[in-house]
Amino acid sequence: MQGPARTRFAPSPTGWLHIGGARAALFSFLLARKTGGQFLLRIEDTDRKRYVPGSEEDLMEGLRWLGIHWDEGPDVGGPYGPYRQSQRAHLYRKYAEELVKKGHAYYCFCTPERLRRMRERQRKLGLPPRYDGHCRRLDPEEARKRVEAGEPHVVRFKAPREGTITGHDFIRGPITVANKDIDDYILLKSDGLPTYHLAVVVDDHLMRITHVLRGAEWLSTFPLHVHLYRAFGWEEPVWVHLSTFLKPSGKGKISKRDMEEIRKMGYAGVFIRDLREAGYLPEAINNWIALMGWSYDDRTEFFTMQDLIEKFSLERLKPSPAAVNFDKLDHFNGLHLRALSPEDLARRLVPFFHKAGYTHVTAEDLLPIVPLIQTRIHTLADAPRLAGFFFEEDIQHTPEAFEEFLVRHKKVKLDLATAYRALQKVYQRLQEVDPWNAENLEAALRALSEELGLKPRKLFSAVRVAVTGRGVSPPLFETLALLGKARTLRWLRQGLEVLAGMLASQTDASEAAPA
RNA sequence: GCCCCCAUCGUCUAAGUGGUUAGGACACGGGCCUUUCAAGCCCGCGGUCGGGGUUCGAGUCCCCGUGGGGGCACCA
């Protein structure tokens, strides 16, 4: 369809990797892979004030975990490095000066204080905040001398005052802006480092980027970037501005303040590290974010990374903003969880059991349990809650469990005395089961249910609560089989004791009442 | 205040260049299956923001409203 694309993800190390960045990286990666091109990672760290220690590692770790691998980057190098802008500082001044020489930029000596006052005045007058062109009028020769004399300065873009500029966004088509609405943006700061506008243009050109995929928040300065390409006389990349992510309500972009609210709704959040810790699979996250702002057809929704590489295309990108739907992430997580092989799932579960306190559990230990829980967990983190008791020697039986799941349960409604009698029979019968496996256990208990005239649901519920101490568990017979005969009988005995205690106090109470 | 972008069920979306009863998914409601909980299957609910045009015909093209989003830093 097209030649190899060179794409990049160019985050600034000012925070953790979130779903917005991950999607931009994913789409860039997919395009490169699909076309047989390269995907690269470039760190845009020209603002030392906002640098967040650890964020660069988080960005890389998150991408790697998602399976978004770069061919060139700060860690692996490449033919167009370095890939960290702070290490390319020397380059940008040269290009800024080239623009000054060509008459597309100029030196500005205005102090931050003067600029602040200027903006304040403009705001009071209801004017748009814009550089007033004070230094634009300076004689170039004189300005150069002041710079050479060491006077603090910045380099500003000399935006045309007349006419319009039209940039072409791949998704939206032509975007036209009046030049008078474009500010004389600073390109090179007084510390000698470039602003985003200069750095991104210079680096994308030097690194031979063919397609720029970035967030729609860049749409407003997009015409400036087009101007810069033209001023340099460089060929523009294909511009693709990805739709923004809105918070679940659809009202506004997700900000840090909204994170608390999202967590309160029971969701893990928008940072990749948090989603990972909450037990979401990278497959599910990729699938989920890929479908925000992009679609394949009118029905296909399940995609592996391989599928995405084959099927992704820029043509099917959408310009409209998308509200994130965390329920749908849960859905995709379930889908991908169930698509995993038991071995794979067991392996991925290990760290979650360790974190839950089952520190010696191995993938081999988990393997027989996996089939019992694979359709029952939404996230990896759900598993220890559901199946942790397989690794306990003893458990806690509570009267409340019997009350809630036997006595009060709408579909069970089993009184304690009946349950007690039945469970004593169960105990006897289980002793005879040999070999101890799910089939034999089921046969024995079904036969008993028949003999006792107790509906399977009632008897099995009683067994479930009495053995496991809980009303919800993996399938009963498989669970007992895995627990083993000794543990099953021991726990059942403990359950019977609790039940006996409940019956005793019930009798006391009924005797006390009439007196 | 100024500039730019966007607009199909509550949410994510499909309906290549205007042409059947606007399709799918999540969520929600109901049912089936069933030893609990899930998973799975079936059914249902629900939408083209409003108004003007163009056209035999508009979700699709144009204009105006309205709504939403983004931006207006020596931040990215």
Side-chain angles (χ1 to χ4, degrees):
Chain A
M1 62 171 266
Q2 60 170 261
R6 274 179 67 83
T7 61
R8 74 341 185 245
F9 178 50
S12 61
T14 53
W16 314 133
L17 181 64
H18 56 86
I19 55 177
R23 187 189 56 166
L26 175 65
F27 286 168
S28 301
F29 168 80
L30 293 175
L31 183 65
R33 281 288 176 280
K34 190 195 170 78
T35 59
Q38 296 83 39
F39 168 66
L40 46 141
L41 177 66
R42 184 177 68 222
I43 302 296
E44 308 221 328
D45 56 347
T46 55
D47 184 5
R48 294 154 315 176
K49 293 183 293 292
R50 296 206 311 153
Y51 181 79
V52 174
S55 62
E56 198 174 312
E57 290 72 17
D58 184 81
L59 254 9
M60 294 206 247
E61 179 58 24
L63 291 175
R64 268 194 287 264
W65 179 71
L66 287 169
I68 299 169
H69 303 290
W70 51 97
D71 305 295
E72 301 167 28
D75 55 335
V76 293
Y80 302 94
Y83 294 87
R84 200 175 274 115
Q85 286 182 336
S86 58
Q87 294 167 351
R88 304 168 64 80
H90 58 283
L91 278 168
Y92 306 111
R93 171 163 287 278
K94 181 183 135 218
Y95 285 100
E97 274 164 5
E98 181 183 330
L99 249 26
V100 173
K101 278 198 204 84
K102 285 179 165 174
H104 293 299
Y106 59 93
Y107 295 110
C108 171
F109 305 93
C110 293
T111 62
E113 175 56 22
R114 186 184 109 77
L115 296 175
R116 194 189 58 72
R117 280 201 313 268
M118 177 193 76
R119 273 193 292 267
E120 202 167 315
R121 204 177 321 124
Q122 288 165 335
R123 194 179 39 246
K124 260 187 235 155
L125 291 168
L127 292 166
R130 210 102 65 198
Y131 182 61
D132 59 6
H134 181 79
C135 293
R136 184 170 165 138
R137 293 182 289 267
L138 258 36
D139 171 56
E141 198 47 36
E142 191 190 327
R144 197 177 52 79
K145 280 182 189 144
R146 285 169 71 179
V147 167
E148 277 162 11
E151 190 172 338
H153 64 280
V154 301
V155 176
R156 282 183 185 274
F157 179 62
K158 192 187 276 181
R161 292 279 168 81
E162 312 275 302
T164 60
I165 174 119
T166 300
H168 190 91
D169 174 73
F170 189 86
I171 307 178
R172 281 158 268 254
I175 290 169
T176 301
V177 168
N179 285 327
K180 67 173 170 50
D181 291 322
I182 297 174
D183 203 358
D184 282 2
Y185 284 96
I186 289 173
L187 302 177
L188 199 71
K189 298 183 277 183
S190 58
D191 65 3
L193 288 172
T195 58
Y196 172 82
H197 311 299
L198 210 220
V200 76
V201 164
V202 167
D203 285 346
D204 283 343
H205 170 73
L206 258 24
M207 294 180 181
R208 306 270 188 274
I209 298 302
T210 61
H211 296 71
V212 170
L213 279 69
R214 66 203 325 191
E217 60 270 23
W218 291 113
L219 224 36
S220 57
T221 46
F222 165 48
L224 167 70
H225 303 155
V226 174
H227 262 131
L228 288 173
Y229 269 91
R230 294 192 188 165
F232 279 119
W234 294 338
E235 193 188 339
E236 286 176 58
V238 174
W239 302 99
V240 186
H241 293 94
L242 271 12
S243 61
T244 33
F245 282 169
L246 272 27
K247 45 188 155 182
S249 62
K251 304 267 180 234
K253 207 169 101 167
I254 295 179
S255 69
K256 282 180 204 79
R257 268 83 60 197
D258 303 315
M259 281 305 299
E260 221 171 295
E261 200 179 325
I262 289 168
R263 288 227 178 75
K264 254 185 247 158
M265 288 190 280
Y267 301 122
V270 297
F271 294 113
I272 299 304
R273 43 155 54 190
D274 292 341
L275 294 172
R276 177 182 185 175
E277 196 175 309
Y280 290 97
L281 302 176
E283 290 92 330
I285 295 172
N286 286 329
N287 199 155
W288 179 51
I289 60 182
L291 254 20
M292 300 177 82
W294 178 83
S295 63
Y296 177 63
D297 60 15
D298 63 339
R299 49 197 67 248
T300 317
E301 291 220 311
F302 183 89
F303 296 94
T304 62
M305 186 64 100
Q306 204 40 244
D307 295 333
L308 289 173
I309 291 169
E310 284 163 22
K311 298 183 167 144
F312 180 75
S313 71
L314 295 176
E315 285 75 14
R316 296 198 65 92
L317 250 16
K318 262 183 77 119
S320 41
V324 294
N325 183 346
F326 290 103
D327 288 331
K328 200 140 185 174
L329 171 60
D330 282 343
H331 172 252
F332 280 122
N333 209 229
L335 251 32
H336 282 93
L337 230 24
R338 275 168 254 137
L340 255 29
S341 71
E343 290 75 15
D344 194 357
L345 180 49
R347 193 173 48 75
R348 300 204 207 197
L349 247 16
V350 170
F352 289 87
F353 275 84
H354 288 180
K355 201 162 54 191
Y358 304 101
T359 51
H360 297 294
V361 170
T362 65
E364 292 76 59
D365 298 333
L366 256 10
L367 193 54
I369 293 167
V370 160
L372 308 196
I373 62 171
Q374 191 155 14
T375 62
R376 273 165 259 266
I377 52 176
H378 283 109
T379 68
L380 296 173
D382 288 338
R385 217 176 11 255
L386 192 65
F389 69 92
F390 282 113
F391 304 100
E392 304 280 4
E393 266 317 299
D394 278 297
I395 53 159
Q396 202 62 33
H397 287 79
T398 64
E400 290 72 34
F402 287 101
E403 282 288 346
E404 183 179 351
F405 296 106
L406 295 189
V407 184
R408 286 204 306 270
H409 193 102
K410 282 197 298 287
K411 291 177 174 169
V412 181
K413 283 211 188 118
L414 190 62
D415 65 276
L416 297 175
T418 311
Y420 187 74
R421 279 195 302 277
L423 287 168
Q424 281 180 312
K425 287 273 197 315
V426 168
Y427 189 85
Q428 289 166 15
R429 201 59 62 91
L430 289 185
Q431 281 180 307
E432 297 157 14
V433 173
D434 181 60
W436 186 265
N437 60 40
E439 297 72 46
N440 289 342
L441 285 162
E442 176 160 13
L445 290 174
R446 283 205 186 274
L448 190 58
S449 143
E450 189 94 358
E451 287 168 36
L452 295 173
L454 261 185
K455 285 243 160 45
R457 164 171 279 150
K458 297 192 182 215
L459 182 67
F460 300 168
S461 289
V463 177
R464 172 173 293 108
V465 177
V467 176
T468 68
R470 46 168 78 195
V472 176
S473 80
L476 185 60
F477 314 113
E478 286 80 358
T479 297
L480 301 187
L482 244 36
L483 244 25
K485 192 167 188 173
R487 252 195 308 177
T488 299
L489 291 175
R490 185 166 75 245
W491 289 4
L492 178 53
R493 220 154 43 224
Q494 290 162 359
L496 276 164
E497 279 168 29
V498 171
L499 205 44
M502 292 172 76
L503 282 166
S505 65
Q506 212 173 54
T507 315
D508 291 349
S510 57
E511 276 169 5

